[in-house]
Amino acid sequence: MADIGEQFLNLDLPNEINKAIFDLGYERPTPIQQQALPHALNGEDIIGQAQTGTGKTAAFLISIFTYELENPPTEDRKPGTPFALIIAPTRELVIQIKKDADALAIYTDIKTLALVGGIDYEKQKNKLNRKVDLVIATPGRLLDFSRSGTIDLSRVEILVIDEADRMLSMGFIPDVKSIIAKTPHRRQRQTQLFSATYTTDIRRLASQWTLDPIKIDIAPEKIAVETVEQRAFLVAEDDKFQLLINVIEHYEMSRVLIFVNRRDTARELHGKITKDGFVCGLLAGDVPQRKRIRTLEKFRAGDTRILVATDVAGRGIHIDNISHVINYNLPEDPEDYVHRIGRTGRAGSEGISISLVCETDAFSLPGIEELLGNKLNCEQPPDKLLLPV
Ligand code: AMP
């Protein structure tokens, strides 16, 4: 089988899962996967303090699918009777988890179903008349189906409560409690609870819902100020491209990842850089998966030294020796800034990030500076970096 990296192989996951992990291009488990999976696969309860972007979704999905593959359901399980249940606070999150689940379960027969409010009740109800293994749901809609007897939660063996703190702040806890009461006793099920923060309230809920849990604490991707030198150049929108090209040359960038905010910008920029005579890869969500993997491999091997990426596509990049990250636009979400610059300066090596800040980008600065806890020193680039070479 294709090589997915020793650390994943060491987890001894079923082949079907390893193949999907390979397709997704994951090379090694993220810290939360590394810490949670051995316990989760062992059936232990988990409390994970982890934010989005840490790979927590794949952590719980891999454990669910592995369990199902290793303990195939008995024939007598009726329609609408899932063995695993994931509760998440928002419709968007449910849909995202369902997408990740479909990708990870692609080589299995596992049936997953998303139940969310706001869309076709009847359609979702019909799907519950069939066999279903994993249900991913928002609390309100799930409770409706549970109360009407359309879904039977009494056979749930693995329960995941995702983003518990948001569930709390959105007032869903009474619903979640009613749902949990319909699942088997915590002695008879495995419970995994994830929350970005771990307040007294969450701790109290976690102690009611889990049994002898393993607590895993993944700090938000540590603001990489120690190993990443962050620079920012003020530049007019029209001069940006020239500055980019000059900066790549001037700093003799050996491996540079350029982030942009939108897919169309990614495509356009990739085209312009290529036209300027550079070998450049493109990593955006609308590029087919296979092609993305090949692009990444070339970049890793050093055949391509420039890669243009969007945030979503860039999340999966775990390459150790990226020398520079360039923010061609500043991201609207400050967390994305931290993710982006965290692609360099990895594994203790030095990295440099350069942000090209035009008037539009300036709106994103305050949020980023607040998250970083310090100001970004915005400089005027030297004239020679603005002139055509
Ligand atoms: P999450 O924290 O679950 O929202 O995941 C954040 C992103 O990381 C998603 O885009 C996943 O596809 C990606 N991801 C999850 N696990 C890995 C991994 N082991 N290697 C690379 N990317 C991953």
Side-chain angles (χ1 to χ4, degrees), residues 5-14 18 21 29 33-39 41 62 66 70:
E6 203 175 321
Q7 285 175 322
F8 265 124
L9 288 179
N10 285 346
L11 288 168
D12 224 355
L13 302 172
N18 279 339
I21 289 173
Q33 291 162 6
Q34 236 164 65
Q35 291 178 44
L37 273 170
H39 296 290
L41 294 171
I62 290 172
T66 302
E70 290 176 352

Side-chain angles (χ1 to χ4, degrees), residues 52-331:
T52 309
T54 50
K56 66 185 162 82
T57 315
F60 58 70
L61 287 172
I62 290 172
S63 74
I64 289 174
F65 295 147
T66 302
Y67 178 84
E68 166 90 355
L69 291 167
E70 290 176 352
N71 305 275
T74 47
E75 281 306 308
D76 67 338
R77 216 174 62 209
K78 298 190 186 64
T81 313
F83 85 94
L85 174 64
I86 300 169
I87 318 172
T90 64
R91 184 192 151 134
E92 290 69 30
L93 189 58
V94 167
I95 291 167
Q96 183 58 47
I97 298 170
K98 161 86 170 134
K99 235 173 89 194
D100 292 351
D102 287 343
L104 279 165
I106 191 149
Y107 296 109
T108 74
D109 296 329
I110 296 172
K111 304 267 180 301
T112 65
L113 176 62
L115 301 177
V116 290
I119 53 175
D120 210 342
Y121 187 91
E122 284 304 314
K123 217 160 137 190
Q124 294 180 20
K125 191 172 164 196
N126 287 339
K127 288 193 176 154
L128 282 168
N129 288 329
R130 296 179 221 144
K131 281 215 165 178
V132 56
D133 300 302
L134 164 65
V135 164
I136 308 155
T138 47
R141 181 55 64 98
L142 180 62
L143 201 54
D144 286 350
F145 281 127
S146 169
R147 288 198 169 127
S148 64
T150 318
I151 188 168
D152 174 1
L153 300 177
S154 69
R155 304 283 293 269
V156 167
E157 291 172 60
I158 306 181
L159 170 69
V160 174
I161 302 147
D162 197 13
E163 303 207 349
D165 49 355
R166 263 172 96 194
M167 216 88 89
L168 185 72
S169 64
M170 290 168 85
F172 290 155
I173 296 302
D175 281 1
V176 175
K177 281 188 173 160
S178 309
I179 292 164
I180 295 181
K182 296 187 187 290
T183 68
H185 188 270
R186 58 184 167 158
R187 263 192 215 68
Q188 267 89 45
R189 60 161 205 256
Q190 180 189 44
T191 310
Q192 302 187 30
L193 178 142
F194 292 86
S195 185
T197 54
Y198 198 56
T199 56
T200 317
D201 284 339
I202 298 292
R203 196 166 303 149
R204 201 167 30 80
L205 292 171
S207 71
Q208 290 167 22
W209 294 337
T210 61
L211 198 65
D212 302 329
I214 303 288
K215 171 91 180 25
I216 291 162
D217 185 355
I218 301 292
E221 196 154 351
K222 255 285 163 247
I223 319 251
V225 270
E226 289 127 50
T227 51
V228 180
E229 180 189 335
Q230 300 171 65
R231 308 195 62 170
F233 285 134
L234 292 168
V235 62
E237 173 92 57
D238 288 347
D239 295 334
K240 237 185 199 185
F241 181 70
Q242 191 60 56
L243 177 61
L244 172 77
I245 295 296
N246 290 351
V247 152
I248 293 175
E249 294 286 45
H250 179 76
Y251 286 88
E252 295 174 353
M253 298 185 174
S254 58
R255 192 161 300 173
V256 51
L257 189 53
I258 305 172
F259 278 104
V260 299
N261 290 359
R262 299 164 44 138
R263 286 176 185 182
D264 50 352
T265 321
R267 242 174 222 296
E268 195 187 317
L269 187 62
H270 171 257
K272 278 167 85 175
I273 296 173
T274 312
K275 216 169 138 212
D276 248 43
F278 294 93
V279 182
C280 172
L282 172 66
L283 213 65
D286 51 353
V287 176
Q289 185 80 358
R290 293 250 153 232
K291 194 158 177 203
R292 266 189 276 169
I293 292 172
R294 269 205 310 277
T295 303
L296 257 185
E297 274 165 6
K298 281 193 187 157
F299 186 60
R300 181 173 296 112
D303 298 340
T304 318
R305 67 172 175 131
I306 306 171
L307 192 59
V308 175
T310 56
D311 290 292
V312 176
R315 286 275 164 100
I317 301 178
H318 295 277
I319 297 178
D320 280 343
N321 48 357
I322 294 175
S323 63
H324 295 80
V325 165
I326 297 181
N327 292 309
Y328 195 71
N329 318 116
L330 280 182

